[in-house]
Amino acid sequence: MSGRLDGRLIGLGVCGSIAAYKAVELLRLLRAEGADVVVMLTPSAATFVGPLTFAALSRHPVETDVLGLLPDERIGHIVVADTADAIVVAPATARWLGAMANGISSDAVTAACLATSAPVVVAPAMDGDMWTHPATRDNVGRLRDDFGYAIVEPASGELASGQSGVGRLAELPEIVDAVVAAIGDRPVRAPDPAARPPVVAAPRGPDLERRHVVVSAGGTAEAIDPVRFIGNRSTGKMGVAIAEAALARGARVTLVVGRVEVPLPGAAAVVHAESTAQMRDAIEDAVIGQHADALVMAAAVADFRPATAAATKLTRGEGLRLELEPTEDILAEVGARARDLDPRPVIVGFAAETGSLDRAPDKLRRKGADLLVANDVGEEGSGFGTDTNRVVILGADGSRDDLPLLAKREVADRLLDRVAALLDRREAREHTG
Ligand code: CTP
């Protein structure tokens, strides 16, 4: 489904008004339009709706303090100011309008607005007499005319005081429309999630407890002679992220690694396997020999190796002509043998493509996998060495899940959500069958 705010980051500033509860619904509407939302609260807003509510719904830490640092030590309101495509302040109180009009950055919302070059949308809500007071009129005029902020005027109706008048927060869809209009067709400011406020991972329970998950990571190397090899650009980041995520969810993890450039989790049973043949043996032992519950084949395996590896170092004067032979297809081989096991392990393959992913469904069938994670390694932010990945998860059941650009750890968890669901279904079938 595509929304009008797909790929956008919106900073939602909430002030201390009784209408603060409506900001929760505004957050939901912005997310329904495809936006990633990060919330900032003034100190009094936090007395109306707690930060935990906003953190759980936005999946980001909530900024409540102008002096607040993110878990990674970056200054929270500056990260929002620098990466948000728009900031929307709803509800904005009379006090906040005064603070903003005068540049008094004593709360995270004002500070982020002062520091940003993104468009700012302001939806005031207050008592009718406060709204018509000359001080408020002046402050609103300054925000609109001098700062260029879009003001979504409050509506008329019953107010918290029991009186009726102009001062009710505008209807939420009207505020969403104003945010969409304020952004217009500007480019996305921070497409890289690493630049944005960190994601608070949705808490996942220990849903892989008692499961043995085998993960391969990194690239294999095929010897040409004792010092040279044919290798590839894999760093192992994706596979290691999967191993870490599986450990966090309670699994026992065997991590079979080729050449990697990242630290390996100490809690995994690590098996080093440099060549494709060694990796095949290690995976066969873990998956078939130990009857694992799942194999996630994230390694970049060499497709060809020198037909013969020289026993001594080749010299330049000899020249070099390499005859290559295909390597064993580990996934296809182990996948085929796994079919004879009862219960059958869940098999996950990866498909690194450049350009179209058209070949991926055929690869899924050919390799006999339950799930295939396909990505375009030529795309910016995806593939080798990056901290992020945009993947499509294809299922043997014909399903197709197009994930947005995500941190590799989040890709890992989304994939493991699918693996855990397949394992649960397998177990349910055993009990009924
Ligand atoms: N794979 C494997 N053994 C190989 C080659 C690949 O187990 N000799 C696994 C990879 O780890 C990955 C999946 O198969 O999980 C797909 O790898 P990929 O390189 O995309 O596919 P290929 O088999 O090389 O097919 P093609 O050359 O047609 O792209």
Side-chain angles (χ1 to χ4, degrees):
M1 200 196 71
S2 73
R4 292 178 297 165
L5 295 171
D6 269 349
R8 301 287 184 179
L9 174 69
I10 308 298
L12 170 58
V14 185
C15 305
S17 149
I18 188 73
Y21 77 91
K22 295 184 182 172
V24 176
E25 178 65 6
L26 179 59
L27 162 58
R28 201 188 61 75
L29 292 179
L30 291 167
R31 283 182 60 95
E33 289 283 359
D36 185 12
V37 182
V38 57
V39 178
M40 299 164 290
L41 303 180
T42 65
S44 64
T47 64
F48 285 93
V49 185
L52 205 58
T53 304
F54 287 112
L57 295 173
S58 69
R59 313 258 321 265
H60 289 291
V62 172
E63 295 304 323
T64 53
D65 179 1
V66 72
L67 300 175
L69 293 182
L70 292 167
D72 57 13
E73 306 281 298
R74 292 180 297 163
I75 302 169
H77 66 269
I78 297 293
V79 173
V80 177
D82 289 349
T83 57
D85 292 289
I87 294 179
V88 53
V89 185
T93 55
R95 184 210 63 80
W96 184 83
L97 293 169
M100 192 66 231
N102 291 285
I104 300 172
S105 60
S106 55
D107 63 80
V109 183
T110 329
C113 290
L114 280 170
T116 196
S117 58
V120 177
V121 176
V122 176
M126 67 196 71
D127 167 72
D129 292 327
M130 288 171 94
W131 176 242
T132 52
H133 194 283
T136 308
R137 307 308 310 154
D138 280 359
N139 291 333
V140 170
R142 186 153 163 75
L143 264 56
R144 178 171 37 219
D145 304 332
D146 297 349
F147 301 176
Y149 292 1
I151 309 291
V152 188
E153 300 262 337
S156 158
E158 197 185 325
L159 303 173
S161 59
Q163 300 168 351
S164 85
V166 176
R168 277 170 67 93
L169 184 68
E171 293 300 322
L172 300 179
E174 201 187 321
I175 301 174
V176 175
D177 289 348
V179 173
V180 172
I183 295 174
D185 55 8
R186 292 163 193 248
V188 173
R189 285 183 77 210
D192 181 356
R196 293 183 174 190
V199 173
V200 185
R204 273 140 170 129
D207 57 356
L208 292 174
E209 236 168 29
R210 296 177 295 105
R211 309 290 195 196
H212 179 195
V213 178
V214 180
V215 182
S216 70
T220 59
E222 303 298 340
I224 296 171
D225 68 15
V227 294
R228 303 181 180 91
F229 61 83
I230 299 176
N232 59 64
R233 295 182 193 280
S234 172
T235 61
K237 269 187 185 164
M238 190 65 242
V240 168
I242 294 166
E244 284 170 347
L247 286 165
R249 296 164 79 144
R252 173 160 81 86
V253 174
T254 300
L255 180 57
V256 181
V257 291
R259 297 178 62 81
V260 286
E261 290 171 24
V262 288
L264 303 176
V270 175
V271 183
H272 291 273
E274 210 185 50
S275 68
T276 303
Q278 286 165 347
M279 188 171 273
R280 195 259 317 261
D281 290 349
I283 289 176
E284 198 173 74
D285 173 60
V287 178
I288 312 293
Q290 299 176 43
H291 196 165
D293 293 292
L295 166 66
V296 183
M297 195 68 202
V301 183
D303 287 318
F304 296 96
R305 69 176 147 238
T308 51
T312 53
K313 186 183 167 200
L314 298 169
T315 60
R316 181 203 278 272
E318 292 172 71
L320 181 59
R321 188 175 286 270
L322 280 179
E323 193 189 328
L324 300 177
E325 64 179 22
T327 54
E328 39 284 278
D329 188 328
I330 305 174
L331 185 61
E333 273 185 27
V334 175
R337 290 197 52 196
R339 264 191 288 278
D340 299 333
L341 295 179
D342 186 19
R344 196 175 69 81
V346 170
I347 304 289
V348 182
F350 270 69
E353 306 287 345
T354 47
S356 131
L357 301 181
D358 289 353
R359 287 169 356 111
D362 177 54
K363 202 172 274 189
L364 172 84
R365 271 187 299 277
R366 217 166 10 97
K367 305 254 179 181
D370 299 286
L371 299 170
L372 190 80
V373 184
N375 72 340
D376 177 356
V377 288
E379 191 191 336
E380 200 182 325
S382 261
F384 301 132
T386 61
D387 290 317
T388 53
N389 214 352
R390 186 198 302 279
V391 305
V392 178
I393 302 180
L394 302 171
D397 57 359
S399 63
R400 179 188 166 119
D401 200 0
D402 286 77
L403 301 184
L405 187 68
L406 294 170
K408 281 186 171 168
R409 172 58 187 262
E410 184 61 20
V411 174
D413 268 316
R414 302 278 186 106
L415 173 62
L416 291 176
D417 289 345
R418 299 285 301 270
V419 172
L422 285 173
L423 287 170
D424 287 347
R425 212 172 307 155
R426 184 184 81 174
E427 202 160 272
R429 264 200 311 270
E430 274 166 40
H431 288 307
T432 53

